[in-house]
Amino acid sequence: MTEPTLRIDAGRCQGHAICYLLAPDLFEVDDEGRGSVIRDTMKSDGDQEQAAIAIDRCPERAISLRSA
Ligand code: F3S
C-alpha cells in the first residue's frame, strides 16, 4: 500500500500559517505566511497526529493527507 502524502493546495492557502505553528516539523511558511510541506511522509504516530491537527485547523481546508 502507498504511504499517504501530505500536501497543501496552493490555490486554497491564504497564508494563515497555522499549519507551521502547530506542526513546524512538517510545514514551513514564506514571508507572506503561505505554507509549504517540508516533509511529506509520516515517520511516526506523532507526525500523523500533527498532520491531522493541522488539517483540522486550517481555515481554508488547504491541507490534505492522501495516497498518491
Ligand atoms: Fe495556508 Fe492553511 Fe497553512 S491557509 S499557511 S495551509 S494553515
Side-chain angles (χ1 to χ4, degrees):
M1 200 165 99
T2 314
E3 291 261 323
T5 304
L6 188 60
R7 299 172 194 275
I8 289 179
D9 180 337
R12 283 179 167 255
C13 175
Q14 296 296 315
H16 295 291
I18 295 167
C19 52
Y20 170 71
L21 293 173
L22 293 172
D25 293 340
L26 303 178
F27 302 97
E28 65 181 4
V29 290
D30 66 15
D31 292 343
E32 295 173 350
R34 288 180 191 271
S36 58
V37 174
I38 54 173
R39 188 150 56 71
D40 63 1
T41 52
M42 303 295 98
K43 291 183 179 167
S44 67
D45 288 349
D47 286 349
Q48 295 242 22
E49 203 169 301
Q50 281 196 25
I53 291 169
I55 289 166
D56 187 55
R57 301 284 173 81
C58 174
E60 307 300 333
R61 293 281 184 220
I63 308 170
S64 61
L65 185 62
R66 52 182 123 140
S67 299

